[in-house]
Amino acid sequence: MTPAVKAAALTGAIVLAAVALNPSAERHRSQIKESIAERSPLAGLLGVGALAAFASNYHSLGVASYTSIRDKTVSFGFLGMVFVIDSHKDP
């Protein structure tokens, strides 16, 4: 097998894995709830995370996905992992 064929096969396998492992909307929402509860136990107790997760809109890009609230991205996911963006951190 030539190096070009090997590279194409590896690239195809990575793209296929990314599509198969793209996080679902429920996974994003669950991670948003957990993240808010970790940052503020009171907000977690009051259900702020559940409210934010409910209000979020899920967008799939095939190999990755993200959720947004009022056109602001709150989480993104790739290869089965979800990352919640902390908008309150100082740069």
Side-chain angles (χ1 to χ4, degrees), residues 20-44:
L21 295 173
N22 190 14
S24 67
E26 189 55 41
R27 183 119 185 227
H28 277 273
R29 291 183 177 112
S30 173
Q31 196 66 26
I32 291 168
K33 288 179 205 175
E34 289 178 23
S35 179
I36 289 175
E38 286 176 6
R39 292 177 195 162
S40 171
L42 180 60

Side-chain angles (χ1 to χ4, degrees), residues 61-81:
L61 304 173
V63 296
S65 54
Y66 66 97
T67 57
S68 61
I69 299 175
R70 294 186 188 164
D71 295 328
K72 183 175 181 183
T73 303
V74 291
S75 70
F76 63 94
F78 180 74
L79 289 174
M81 299 175 288

